[in-house]
Amino acid sequence: MEEERRAKEAKLADGELEEDQDQLQLLSFNDFRVERTLKENAQHKTIFVQGNISGRPGPAVVILEKRPFSAETIQEVLSESTDLRFLMHNDIYRQYEARIESKLNAAQATVIYPATDELIAKLKSQEKHFVRETPNDYETITKPYIEKESQSLQWIYNILDHKAEQERIVYEDPDPNVGFVLLPDLKWDQEHMENLYLLGVCHARGIASLRDLRLEHVPLLKNMMQQGREAIFNRYGIPLSQIKTYVHYQPTYYHFHMHYLHTSFEHPGGLVGKAHLVEDIIDNLEKFGTTYYKERTLTFALRDTETLWKRFQKN
Ligand code: G7M
């Protein structure tokens, strides 16, 4: 299964195969059958569902997230187009269920097909465990996992080669050493500035993650952080001091990339045990030397369904 996927990826990279998933253009969820709910979160107004698309083998995952209200359309919401169903009255307090017309009440839907077992395991809500990864653990446990079992990087290569999401690019520096592509993260609807979330993907290949960063990468880090923030300010008007930049360790995808979020957006990916501020990374490399991340024991959280957690358990 894993070998098949890698062989297909190699063919795709060589242009021998047309990307058949590109034919999957859904107009509704008519062909989608729900199998199970992987995770739901009332606070974030999200649900992660595993199911099947009729006529297509293997599982698909749908992630639905209700979009926040926006000041621009609130007058349209608070108009005769919204029906009110009375729920209760007490003194000055009245509660209704508001039935808002569908175009003002949209949800963001992300469809992942075909969804790998590893990705499903990652999305499924599970207990988290902290792991302390020594440099030796990295060589003997994490590196073999990255080489054999980590998620495909095809979507990243498609972005860098302008084969996908080309029209969404906010900024690009084509330099092969310090250059990168900046574009909206899959999670952002590009409308609500308080949820602003972009991704910077470097052109340089061979930096799998934080672990591989050395002093020679400081110009890349500074360039991605500074130019990325300036591009966000130029496009969206968010002050530089309100854009936080961090990288994940462990990431899901092992091609170096940076997350850019509005400071008001407290995404779970920004928690301790996952997020490393870019300013701190630069400082550590400059003050403590090029092998800082090579020699450190790094601590992070993994879900107990993740393959990497199982690999750490075996050792
Ligand atoms: O944990 P890690 O640092 O690997 O996070 C990867 C980020 O890439 C997440 O924030 C995802 O939402 C984002 N992402 C994943 N995919 C598959 C895509 C994609 O196809 N396009 C874009 N723009 N972002 C993606």
Side-chain angles (χ1 to χ4, degrees):
M1 173 87 181
E2 184 54 29
E3 268 167 37
E4 248 176 59
R5 173 170 76 77
R6 282 179 195 271
K8 189 176 169 209
E9 266 172 40
K11 286 189 176 172
L12 276 168
D14 295 343
E16 283 179 34
L17 262 181
E18 282 297 307
E19 178 65 296
D20 55 356
Q21 284 108 271
D22 283 357
Q23 307 305 319
L24 181 68
Q25 290 293 351
L26 301 175
L27 294 175
S28 75
F29 282 112
N30 189 29
D31 291 334
F32 187 82
R33 293 290 158 271
V34 173
E35 247 176 38
R36 60 176 174 155
T37 297
L38 299 170
K39 176 165 63 177
E40 53 191 311
N41 186 318
Q43 196 190 345
H44 295 139
K45 309 209 169 33
T46 53
I47 188 160
F48 294 63
V49 179
Q50 181 184 334
N52 286 296
I53 301 170
S54 69
R56 289 183 178 264
V61 167
V62 175
I63 303 168
L64 291 177
E65 177 176 0
K66 288 208 177 178
R67 286 190 170 163
F69 293 110
S70 99
E72 279 105 72
T73 54
I74 198 64
Q75 184 61 72
E76 271 184 83
V77 174
L78 301 180
S79 72
E80 80 288 347
S81 72
T82 297
D83 289 329
L84 292 180
R85 196 167 67 85
F86 175 77
L87 296 178
M88 72 103 178
H89 172 210
N90 183 353
D91 188 34
I92 60 172
Y93 304 99
R94 290 175 173 77
Q95 199 167 48
Y96 301 90
E97 182 186 78
R99 297 185 173 172
I100 300 166
E101 73 169 305
S102 57
K103 79 173 165 62
L104 296 167
N105 197 19
Q108 179 146 307
T110 304
V111 178
I112 305 174
Y113 178 80
T116 60
D117 294 345
E118 176 70 359
L119 203 62
I120 291 171
K122 200 157 181 158
L123 296 175
K124 202 165 176 278
S125 93
Q126 292 296 335
E127 298 291 321
K128 280 186 186 173
H129 302 268
F130 271 90
V131 172
R132 304 251 310 139
E133 180 198 67
T134 63
N136 186 50
D137 291 337
Y138 178 72
E139 291 300 325
T140 57
I141 305 172
T142 310
K143 216 167 165 188
Y145 159 79
I146 297 171
E147 283 160 6
K148 292 217 184 67
E149 289 172 292
S150 62
Q151 291 300 311
S152 162
L153 302 177
Q154 192 58 51
W155 67 274
I156 290 185
Y157 300 144
N158 288 345
I159 289 172
L160 296 175
D161 296 340
H162 294 178
K163 287 184 183 162
E165 303 191 54
Q166 200 178 347
E167 67 296 340
R168 284 158 48 89
I169 292 177
V170 171
Y171 178 81
E172 176 161 14
D173 175 347
D175 187 279
N177 297 314
V178 298
F180 67 105
V181 173
L182 179 76
L183 79 175
D185 191 280
L186 206 56
K187 291 194 270 277
W188 188 38
D189 64 11
Q190 297 182 70
E191 278 178 27
H192 297 88
M193 291 305 140
E194 66 277 15
N195 289 356
L196 176 134
Y197 198 144
L198 288 96
L199 209 61
V201 183
C202 75
H203 274 299
R205 309 231 168 160
I207 312 168
S209 71
L210 180 75
R211 225 355 145 189
D212 287 341
L213 291 176
R214 304 287 178 267
L215 196 56
E216 75 200 57
H217 299 123
V218 165
L220 168 72
L221 296 170
K222 286 187 175 167
N223 192 47
M224 288 181 76
M225 185 176 73
Q226 285 158 5
Q227 292 215 57
R229 279 181 177 164
E230 273 165 31
I232 292 172
F233 171 71
N234 292 336
R235 172 70 70 95
Y236 304 106
I238 310 290
L240 307 196
S241 62
Q242 286 194 301
I243 304 163
K244 55 186 166 189
T245 46
Y246 56 71
V247 306
H248 283 164
Y249 197 75
Q250 298 287 336
T252 304
Y253 305 98
Y254 291 86
H255 171 107
F256 187 72
H257 56 271
M258 202 175 272
H259 300 249
Y260 305 71
L261 283 83
H262 195 293
T263 43
S264 68
F265 189 19
E266 297 296 344
H267 190 270
L271 295 173
V272 286
K274 184 95 182 166
H276 295 249
L277 284 173
V278 178
E279 287 90 338
D280 290 347
I281 299 172
I282 293 171
D283 219 41
N284 287 333
L285 288 169
E286 285 183 336
K287 287 216 171 68
F288 303 111
T290 189
T291 53
Y292 181 83
Y293 286 104
K294 187 173 191 282
E295 288 170 3
R296 255 198 63 178
T297 291
L298 289 165
T299 305
F300 47 82
L302 293 174
R303 293 197 171 84
D304 55 14
T305 48
E306 288 185 60
T307 310
L308 188 55
W309 167 250
K310 289 178 190 146
R311 278 181 173 256
F312 268 93
Q313 290 294 93
K314 277 194 207 142
N315 278 267

